[in-house]
Amino acid sequence: MPKRYLLPVVEFHLLVFLIALAVITKPSIFVLSATTHAVISEVQISGDSADSGNDEFVELYNPTSDPIIMTDWKLTRKNSSGTEANLVADLDGTIPAHGYFLIGHGTGYNGGVTLDASYSAPSNALTNDYTVLLYSDNQITLVDKVGFGTSTDPEGSAVSENPAANGSIERKPGVSDPTGGNGTDTENNANDFDQRVTSDPQNSNSATETPAPDASPSPSPDVSPSPT
């Protein structure tokens, strides 16, 4: 090949190599701390009612700007042996945008706000070392789950301590930012929840809470190749 053609050919192949290398090594999307689906936001497993062992609730939160309509969803619990059973077999209702939905034991619960839905299987009540699971899409798709104590099926690691009587575990930012919602979801229960000494149930009529700005998704930087 004549020398006058050799340099352009080498430069062309070098440019192709640099572009291919940039595509292969392009940084992956960052894992976000905020989520875009309904989450289990607070759980109480016992309280101070006459039926204290059944004074319990599961609160859901919608971190998105659109209502979430639940049709044929279900809420279950899994015990420390891994046996799963329904809390609510057919869960229907709407979680308002940036709002809440409250589910609990129909006779044991005595919180200050009204339940949006009661357990359809109250005998399957919660206790220590359980996992709570939320399903959508005709009760097939797992939306979220929260394990506590020595739960055998948490999301990531379980919340290390069981909720205290009349207390709860609450999804962050929660206590640290009372009006910032409960939308943190790093897929690790141990990181995403705090203990509350006194629970704070909220229902679909409670004030909405917009996720804190620092929990908003941020796009991954796009690094484009610079030819030499």
Side-chain angles (χ1 to χ4, degrees):
M1 178 181 293
K3 289 184 179 180
R4 66 177 180 272
Y5 297 117
L6 181 61
L7 185 58
V9 170
V10 171
E11 288 179 341
F12 172 79
H13 283 86
L14 179 60
L15 179 60
V16 170
F17 170 77
L18 290 174
I19 292 173
L21 182 63
V23 171
I24 293 170
T25 60
K26 183 176 179 180
S28 59
I29 300 298
F30 294 138
V31 175
L32 306 177
S33 61
T35 190
T36 56
H37 58 78
V39 292
I40 298 167
S41 52
E42 189 173 359
V43 179
Q44 174 178 303
I45 64 174
S46 64
D48 57 4
S49 70
D51 186 12
S52 60
N54 290 322
D55 186 2
E56 61 180 69
F57 67 82
V58 176
E59 176 194 276
L60 308 180
Y61 175 65
N62 174 7
T64 77
S65 56
D66 296 304
I68 294 177
I69 300 173
M70 299 180 292
T71 302
D72 293 329
W73 288 35
K74 72 175 178 179
L75 186 73
T76 73
R77 58 81 167 155
K78 187 176 290 187
N79 64 22
S80 56
S81 298
T83 301
E84 190 170 359
N86 288 331
L87 292 172
V88 183
D90 294 297
L91 179 59
D92 297 303
T94 299
I95 315 174
H98 301 150
Y100 295 87
F101 192 90
L102 191 63
I103 307 160
H105 196 287
T107 58
Y109 169 78
N110 77 335
V113 297
T114 305
L115 296 175
D116 291 304
S118 297
Y119 292 172
S120 60
S123 60
N124 295 331
L126 300 173
T127 189
N128 289 341
D129 309 321
Y130 272 28
T131 303
V132 182
L133 305 97
L134 178 67
Y135 294 89
S136 67
D137 298 332
N138 292 315
Q139 309 175 9
I140 295 173
T141 302
L142 180 64
V143 176
D144 193 28
K145 63 179 176 178
V146 178
F148 40 88
T150 58
S151 161
T152 57
D153 187 27
E155 188 174 72
S157 299
V159 181
S160 59
E161 297 180 12
N162 290 294
N166 212 41
S168 65
I169 54 171
E170 182 182 43
R171 187 178 291 274
K172 298 175 181 179
V175 179
S176 64
D177 184 5
T179 62
N182 303 92
T184 300
D185 187 7
T186 64
E187 299 186 358
N188 189 328
N189 296 157
N191 294 338
D192 294 343
F193 282 79
D194 286 322
Q195 295 281 344
R196 286 192 68 109
V197 175
T198 303
S199 63
D200 182 31
Q202 294 161 280
N203 64 13
S204 58
N205 293 317
S206 298
T208 58
E209 297 180 4
T210 304
D214 61 359
S216 299
S218 300
S220 171
D222 189 355
V223 179
S224 300
S226 298
T228 302

